[in-house]
Amino acid sequence: MKDFQANKNPQAESKKTTIPPYMKAISGSFGGIVEACCLQPIDVIKTRLQLDRMGNYKGIVHCGATVSSTEGLRALWKGLTPFATHLTLKYALRMGSNAMLQSAFKDSDTGTLSNKARFLSGFGAGVLEALVIVTPFEVVKIRLQQQRGLSRELLKYKGPIHCAHTIIREEGLFGLWAGAAPTVMRNGTNQAAMFTAKNAFDVVLWKKHEGDGKVLQPWQSMISGFLAGTAGPVCTGPFDVVKTRLMAQSRDGGEVKYKGMVHAIRTIYAEEGLRALWKGLLPRLMRIPPGQAIMWAVADQIIGLYERRYFHSAAL
């Protein structure tokens, strides 16, 4: 009887059962699709605010109202195609690579994962996604979002493919990786904090351990995901502003204003003040925590169903 009870211990069972990385990748990709469709307008507003050096927008509501009234409601979904594609691929890579790194960092004797190992796994996943997916997709997305006007014929970039092709032709292949350094710092720190916090909130709030066969309710996943997604934007605000500025500047005219990450931070601070390094923080907080809530609500359902089918039923 004691042996049976020991086997039902979530922590003991989690040592024996691990969600395969491909399932984590699949769950993340589906979560990314849903998140992109729901939150794209907030991302457009965030980008416009970060690029607003003249004070044309008075705040989030004014920015959204101005964009929709002058460019049409559909303008709030500018860049949705690259954004949705990039989120789908990003979450697949993030969740899959994090699972692989966690497996590599697990204690070989006990099968447990320390908080330090979980933090490093998240940081590694964030760095990988930043270099492979996030930077080139966000360069295209930001170039599209910063364009103003109603007529497609008057816009420099006609769409995501045309935008990428134009950047490569005018600035070279590495033009798609403008702002890579602050993107790496931002994403690495964000994911290290997010994966560590999400696991902690699941355990503390819902007594949920990976591999225990328990499927969280969507609202439970949303609460854990929302809370886990709040710290990153505050800590990485300057990296996000610098990333946006570096990605937005075009090199087809010769000289560029910002020479790199450190130069951009110094220039923004000197010209616009310290608070400018946290421009767009409120829309980031309106987008990232809800985005994590949506993504985890979808991902946890897929992972939970997999656990219940292949782990819990097998134990019974």
Side-chain angles (χ1 to χ4, degrees):
M1 186 68 178
K2 291 181 179 179
D3 292 339
F4 175 77
Q5 290 176 341
N7 288 335
K8 298 304 288 183
N9 185 289
Q11 291 177 314
E13 191 162 321
S14 65
K15 296 176 186 177
K16 300 179 182 179
T17 57
T18 303
I19 309 298
Y22 75 86
M23 275 307 303
K24 293 287 187 73
I26 291 173
S27 68
S29 64
F30 277 100
I33 293 172
V34 178
E35 177 187 339
C37 294
C38 293
L39 300 180
Q40 174 68 359
I42 297 177
D43 194 70
V44 170
I45 293 171
K46 182 210 76 167
T47 300
R48 291 292 182 90
L49 286 173
Q50 289 180 337
L51 295 174
D52 180 26
R53 301 175 190 170
M54 306 302 295
N56 296 320
Y57 303 122
K58 309 306 179 184
I60 295 173
V61 176
H62 179 260
C63 180
T66 302
V67 171
S68 60
S69 63
T70 59
E71 304 174 46
L73 187 62
R74 291 179 58 185
L76 290 173
W77 275 267
K78 274 186 175 180
L80 176 61
T81 300
F83 185 54
T85 304
H86 129 257
L87 270 190
T88 302
L89 296 176
K90 178 178 74 173
Y91 283 142
L93 179 61
R94 175 192 298 176
M95 300 285 280
S97 61
N98 180 69
M100 293 178 68
L101 288 170
Q102 285 189 359
S103 297
F105 287 144
K106 278 184 178 179
D107 187 285
S108 57
D109 296 326
T110 64
T112 57
L113 186 72
S114 67
N115 286 330
K116 179 181 178 180
R118 192 180 302 277
F119 187 89
L120 290 175
S121 297
F123 189 86
V127 170
L128 186 61
E129 72 177 19
L131 292 174
V132 176
I133 294 173
V134 176
T135 303
F137 273 94
E138 288 213 359
V139 168
V140 172
K141 181 197 71 172
I142 287 172
R143 295 288 180 91
L144 290 172
Q145 287 179 348
Q146 72 174 339
Q147 296 186 124
R148 301 180 183 181
L150 296 171
S151 176
R152 178 183 173 89
E153 291 72 23
L154 298 178
L155 298 177
K156 178 177 180 179
Y157 306 117
K158 313 303 181 185
I161 302 298
H162 179 261
C163 180
H165 183 266
T166 302
I167 293 171
I168 293 173
R169 186 181 69 249
E170 295 179 350
E171 306 170 39
L173 181 62
F174 287 106
L176 290 173
W177 273 267
T183 306
V184 165
M185 293 300 298
R186 183 198 67 171
N187 282 59
T189 305
N190 271 343
Q191 302 328 312
M194 190 273 293
F195 279 110
T196 304
K198 176 61 167 60
N199 178 76
F201 284 124
D202 281 349
V203 174
V204 172
L205 295 177
W206 322 119
K207 311 301 180 188
K208 163 65 181 172
H209 299 267
E210 182 173 313
D212 63 3
K214 180 179 179 180
V215 183
L216 294 179
Q217 294 295 320
W219 64 269
Q220 293 175 314
S221 297
M222 293 184 78
I223 291 175
S224 294
F226 186 94
L227 293 174
T230 54
V234 177
C235 298
T236 62
F239 293 126
D240 192 62
V241 172
V242 170
K243 168 199 73 72
T244 302
R245 296 287 181 91
L246 289 173
M247 289 179 174
Q249 62 182 2
S250 175
R251 291 170 175 78
D252 60 338
E255 287 294 316
V256 293
K257 179 169 184 173
Y258 306 115
K259 312 300 182 183
M261 180 175 70
V262 176
H263 179 260
I265 292 175
R266 289 176 176 173
T267 303
I268 294 170
Y269 173 74
E271 295 182 353
E272 305 172 49
L274 183 63
R275 291 180 60 185
L277 290 171
W278 274 269
K279 272 189 174 182
L281 176 61
L282 186 55
R284 281 192 81 203
L285 288 173
M286 290 177 63
R287 186 186 70 79
I288 294 177
Q292 290 301 300
I294 294 170
M295 192 281 293
W296 282 110
V298 176
D300 277 353
Q301 289 299 302
I302 297 174
I303 293 172
L305 291 174
Y306 182 91
E307 286 184 2
R308 194 160 60 181
R309 178 172 181 179
Y310 291 101
F311 296 162
H312 188 62
S313 60
L316 293 177

